[in-house]
Amino acid sequence: MSNNSGKSALVVEGGGMRGVFAAGVLHAFGNAGFDPFDLYIGVSAGACHLASHLAGQNNRNFDITLQYSLKSDFINIKRFLRGGHLMDLDWMWEQTISNYRLNLSYLFNKLRSQNKEYIIVATSMDTGNALYLHPDEKTLEDYLKVSSSIPVFYRNILEVNGERATDGGIADAVPVREAYRRGATNITVIRSRPSDYVKKQSKLIFILSVYFRKYPRLVEKFKQRANNYMDAVHFIHHPPKGIRITELAPPNNVDIGRTTQNEAVLRATYEMGIDYGNKFLKRRRGI
């Protein structure tokens, strides 16, 4: 593939509460006014963190983590065992839209005036393919919710433009190849997993196969997920000639999971992200 347009892209992985690392990196970028990117692609929590960053709301991501994500209204294992949501996105979206809404006018004025592109990744439940969504003021919050709707953890089925869709991390968890396909030659990727993390097939694949038996192509994507993830990691570490990829990833000793609600752990991971972001910026300036 010829790739000569020279775009600069920022790709942000999802991962539920692990995404606070990316939120910290983006906080550092925002504080420094660092924004050389033409293209932004986010998945699940990564897409949400990117939205706040692009909206100029530098504190919003971690404020929401502390004010809403730690509540049992959001993550509740007892409710889940009774057949409800483990992660209640309906409650979260209602609360944040009512009390801490994205600055939509700022976000889209910036994108349009500077000719930047922002893409949210979701997964089609019918085809299993990645959906690369271009939001506007009317669709952004809905697209973010779809991209963040982790199967089983969130029980409802959502739609995008009449198509049933779910968590973007199933089809394209780290969309560096998509950034390349769209003409990016300089890609910065913010991970939620350590650089040397090796993804293995889920031990719950049989349960997922039964739960989503009406969606055989989605089930097939579940089965391919580990291989697809590791293919993206290989692309990061071995990019094509002429393509520069910079990876910011948490270290191996960060003990944080998709549903972590320990404030001390979340705060430490967020502050680590800020530190990594600042060190990245210093390296760029040659300090």
Side-chain angles (χ1 to χ4, degrees):
M1 174 180 175
S2 176
N3 197 318
N4 299 313
S5 62
K7 288 183 182 178
S8 180
L10 178 61
V11 174
V12 185
E13 183 180 4
M17 303 299 273
R18 294 189 197 97
V20 295
F21 176 81
V25 174
L26 292 172
H27 184 105
F29 286 6
N31 270 1
F34 176 73
D35 188 17
F37 307 106
D38 308 296
L39 170 65
Y40 310 85
I41 308 180
V43 184
S44 192
C48 295
H49 294 320
L50 261 179
S52 295
H53 174 68
L54 291 170
Q57 294 165 284
N58 217 28
N59 297 316
R60 183 176 183 270
N61 289 322
F62 198 60
D63 284 349
I64 286 175
T65 298
L66 294 182
Q67 294 176 30
Y68 301 102
S69 297
L70 302 184
K71 293 182 180 294
S72 61
D73 300 88
F74 179 47
I75 298 177
N76 190 315
I77 186 65
K78 292 182 180 179
R79 179 181 61 213
F80 180 66
L81 294 175
R82 293 195 301 267
H85 304 301
L86 178 61
M87 288 181 157
D88 190 345
L89 298 188
D90 299 332
W91 177 85
M92 176 63 80
W93 258 244
E94 178 184 346
Q95 293 298 312
T96 53
I97 289 173
S98 297
N99 303 316
Y100 208 153
R101 196 168 194 176
L102 286 162
N103 188 335
L104 298 175
S105 59
Y106 180 96
L107 192 162
F108 287 102
N109 285 340
K110 173 179 179 174
L111 292 176
R112 290 167 184 147
S113 65
Q114 299 180 27
N115 197 29
K116 294 173 179 285
E117 186 178 13
Y118 170 41
I119 296 171
I120 298 169
V121 184
T123 301
S124 167
M125 295 183 67
D126 297 310
T127 68
N129 294 331
L131 302 173
Y132 300 103
L133 306 172
H134 290 82
D136 58 23
E137 289 89 340
K138 294 181 179 179
T139 61
L140 174 61
E141 289 156 337
D142 289 338
Y143 286 0
L144 290 174
K145 188 175 182 181
V146 170
S147 182
S148 303
S149 59
I150 301 172
V152 182
F153 284 16
Y154 176 72
R155 306 275 191 180
N156 294 345
I157 293 177
L158 304 176
E159 292 189 357
V160 172
N161 303 322
E163 183 171 7
R164 288 166 291 195
T166 187
D167 177 19
I170 298 168
D172 196 355
V174 193
V176 285
R177 284 189 180 274
E178 183 63 19
Y180 171 63
R181 190 183 71 80
R182 291 176 181 269
T185 57
N186 190 346
I187 303 170
T188 300
V189 55
I190 307 176
R191 303 278 306 279
S192 59
R193 293 284 198 176
S195 180
D196 61 356
Y197 169 73
V198 176
K199 190 171 187 64
K200 299 178 181 178
Q201 188 177 85
S202 172
K203 296 178 181 178
L204 302 177
I205 192 66
F206 175 75
I207 295 174
L208 292 169
S209 298
V210 173
Y211 193 90
F212 291 104
R213 59 189 177 277
K214 294 181 180 179
Y215 305 95
R217 293 182 179 177
L218 180 66
V219 170
E220 189 60 30
K221 190 64 69 171
F222 278 124
K223 294 177 180 178
Q224 299 168 358
R225 189 178 184 188
N227 287 338
N228 291 341
Y229 187 95
M230 294 312 300
D231 177 71
V233 172
H234 184 270
F235 189 88
I236 291 170
H237 297 158
H238 305 279
K241 184 178 179 180
I243 306 302
R244 178 182 179 183
I245 299 182
T246 303
E247 178 187 49
L248 288 87
N252 288 298
N253 62 355
V254 175
D255 186 19
I256 188 170
R258 191 182 298 272
T259 59
T260 294
Q261 288 185 293
N262 183 308
E263 181 177 341
V265 171
L266 292 167
R267 188 179 294 277
T269 306
Y270 178 69
E271 291 174 353
M272 181 181 295
I274 293 174
D275 182 58
Y276 273 49
N278 286 330
K279 288 178 178 176
F280 165 80
L281 294 173
K282 287 181 179 180
R283 289 194 299 271
R284 280 185 59 94
R285 294 193 296 263
I287 298 176

